[in-house]
């Protein structure tokens, strides 16, 4: 790695500043159906054909397509007929609706919900609370009530969560040998109010990061009480380094928890402490090197 003198700091700042532009190009291409149209066509298409197929302006579409080429989301072939655009492999796999690994739904959730909350990040930092009231005019005291403010929003959120699981679920579930557990309960829904059924293993996937420490302890205590002796709980979370210096994706997730929920990103030690407070022991941590990590506690 080069010295700090080798770094082009102005260029780095420009790249960071352009981050929101990049994400909006990605979201817009997904929303308009660019990647789906190119997949369905089975052949490269001109910008005019894509614009006509999607009901967009030719000038606007050409600029969007060229930006997608620059981002490696599309490739372009120069022919005698002009420029013809096609999907790259990453777009076919992750950005088309029909792909088993499609991230389309989480892109739409980020574009239409998360993005609006992040407009008020400065307010969230000043106030230390989520920004649903400013973004959508609904109470910030019930973050999931805000997320589920309509059937459409609820389905959008759930589809987004499922799309993320399609690319990280296997790594998380393979982190530990779960074969001894015969009765497994995937915890979700309105779990603070309802009783939790008895099981040998409880999976809490991307749940605790939404809540403050006290509510996490409350929930884990309910899980511990319901858990069979010798059973356990598997936490699926993106773990911060112990000094909280990274990973940057987890740091950004933690910022998102600030603008959207009551929770935060945590280190493995912090999650372990929450598990111990509820009574769980023999705690194991596995960093997958992917989006989400795994923490297993035993009763």
């Amino acid at each position: 790695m080069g010295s700090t003198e080798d770094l082009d700091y102005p260029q780095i700042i420009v790249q960071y500043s352009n981050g929101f532009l990049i994400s909006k190009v990605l979201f817009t291409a997904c929303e308009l159906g660019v990647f789906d149209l190119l997949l369905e066509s089975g052949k490269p298409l001109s910008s005019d054909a894509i614009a006509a197929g999607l009901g967009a302006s030719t000038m606007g579409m050409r600029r969007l397509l060229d930006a997608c080429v620059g981002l490696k989301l599309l490739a372009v072939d120069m022919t005698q007929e002009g420029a013809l655009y096609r999907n790259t492999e990453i777009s076919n796999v992750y950005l088309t609706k029909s792909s088993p690994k499609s991230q389309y739904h989480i892109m739409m959730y980020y574009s239409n919900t998360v993005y609006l909350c992040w407009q008020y990040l400065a307010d969230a930092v000043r106030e230390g609370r989520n920004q649903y009231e400013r973004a959508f005019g609904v109470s910030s005291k019930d973050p999931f009530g805000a997320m589920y403010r309509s059937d459409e929003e609820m389905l959008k959120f759930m589809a987004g969560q499922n799309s993320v699981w399609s690319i990280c679920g296997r790594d998380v579930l393979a982190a530990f040998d779960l074969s001894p557990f015969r009765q497994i309960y995937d915890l979700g829904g309105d779990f603070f109010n309802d009783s939790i059924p008895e099981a040998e293993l409880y999976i809490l996937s991307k749940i605790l990061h939404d809540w403050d420490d006290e509510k996490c302890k409350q929930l884990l205590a309910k899980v511990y009480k319901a858990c069979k002796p010798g059973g356990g709980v598997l936490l699926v979370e993106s773990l911060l380094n112990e000094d909280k210096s990274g990973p940057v994706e987890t740091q950004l997730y933690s910022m998102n928890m600030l603008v959207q929920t009551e929770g935060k990103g945590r280190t493995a030690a912090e999650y372990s402490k929450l598990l111990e407070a509820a009574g769980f022991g023999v705690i194991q941590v596995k960093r997958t090197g992917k989006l989400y990590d795994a923490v297993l506690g035993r009763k």
Side-chain angles (χ1 to χ4, degrees):
M1 181 179 293
S3 65
T4 55
E5 289 77 9
D6 296 330
L7 297 176
D8 186 345
Y9 287 112
Q11 183 63 26
I12 291 173
I13 294 301
V14 170
Q15 289 174 350
Y16 287 174
S17 300
N18 284 341
F20 86 98
L21 302 177
I22 293 171
S23 61
K24 203 58 180 176
V25 166
L26 171 60
F27 298 158
T28 299
C30 285
E31 182 177 345
L32 294 179
V34 170
F35 308 113
D36 295 311
L37 178 64
L38 286 170
L39 177 67
E40 293 164 5
S41 73
K43 63 180 181 180
L45 297 176
S46 67
S47 60
D48 287 352
I50 296 171
L54 299 177
S57 71
T58 55
M59 179 183 68
M61 182 56 67
R62 178 62 184 269
R63 294 186 188 184
L64 177 63
L65 297 175
D66 287 342
C68 287
V69 171
L71 295 174
K72 313 299 183 187
L73 302 177
L74 295 178
V76 61
D77 300 319
M78 300 307 298
T79 69
Q80 290 182 342
E81 291 77 25
L84 297 179
Y85 298 87
R86 54 186 168 83
N87 285 344
T88 57
E89 182 180 2
I90 191 173
S91 296
N92 275 333
V93 174
Y94 297 110
L95 301 179
T96 57
K97 295 178 189 174
S98 59
S99 171
K101 295 185 177 181
S102 175
Q103 298 301 295
Y104 169 84
H105 294 290
I106 196 66
M107 295 296 163
M108 292 300 92
Y109 174 70
Y110 267 69
S111 180
N112 299 321
T113 299
V114 177
Y115 220 85
L116 299 181
C117 291
W118 273 70
Q119 293 184 59
Y120 303 101
L121 177 59
D123 296 292
V125 172
R126 291 189 191 101
E127 300 166 2
R129 64 185 179 91
N130 72 63
Q131 295 299 303
Y132 272 106
E133 190 166 347
R134 282 192 175 90
F136 302 106
V138 296
S139 174
S140 61
K141 296 180 180 179
D142 182 11
F144 277 87
M147 291 181 193
Y148 297 163
R149 59 191 180 276
S150 69
D151 288 344
E152 180 184 3
E153 287 299 316
M154 180 180 67
L155 291 173
K156 188 190 305 178
F157 176 75
M158 297 305 296
Q161 296 304 304
N162 288 338
S163 67
V164 173
W165 188 250
S166 71
I167 62 172
C168 71
R170 184 181 298 273
D171 296 307
V172 170
L173 293 179
F176 301 108
D177 178 11
L178 302 180
S179 60
F181 302 106
R182 299 298 180 185
Q183 189 179 14
I184 299 175
Y185 188 83
D186 185 9
L187 190 66
D190 193 1
F191 36 70
F192 285 111
N193 298 322
D194 297 339
S195 61
I196 296 176
E198 186 180 70
E200 294 180 5
L201 177 70
Y202 298 85
I203 298 177
L204 276 63
S205 177
K206 299 172 289 181
I207 288 178
L208 296 188
H209 68 214
D210 289 328
W211 306 101
D212 62 28
D213 287 352
E214 288 307 309
K215 285 193 175 179
C216 287
K217 290 176 184 178
Q218 178 187 341
L219 177 58
L220 289 172
K222 288 184 67 175
V223 171
Y224 184 84
K225 183 177 180 180
C227 184
K228 290 183 177 180
V233 59
L234 177 68
L235 307 183
V236 179
E237 296 286 356
S238 184
L239 297 178
L240 286 166
N241 297 338
E242 290 305 321
D243 63 0
K244 301 191 178 180
S245 61
V248 67
E249 293 85 1
T250 311
Q251 292 167 329
L252 293 175
Y253 290 156
S254 190
M255 292 299 299
N256 193 49
M257 295 306 101
L258 174 63
V259 298
Q260 281 203 280
T261 73
E262 299 176 7
K264 61 182 179 180
R266 294 181 175 90
T267 66
E270 288 173 327
Y271 279 116
S272 296
K273 187 177 294 186
L274 291 174
L275 288 170
E276 290 168 352
F280 291 99
V282 195
I283 297 168
Q284 300 171 270
V285 177
K286 178 72 173 185
R287 292 183 179 272
T288 66
K290 303 293 179 61
L291 288 173
Y292 292 99
D293 306 301
V295 181
L296 179 65
R298 302 293 293 263
K299 180 173 180 178

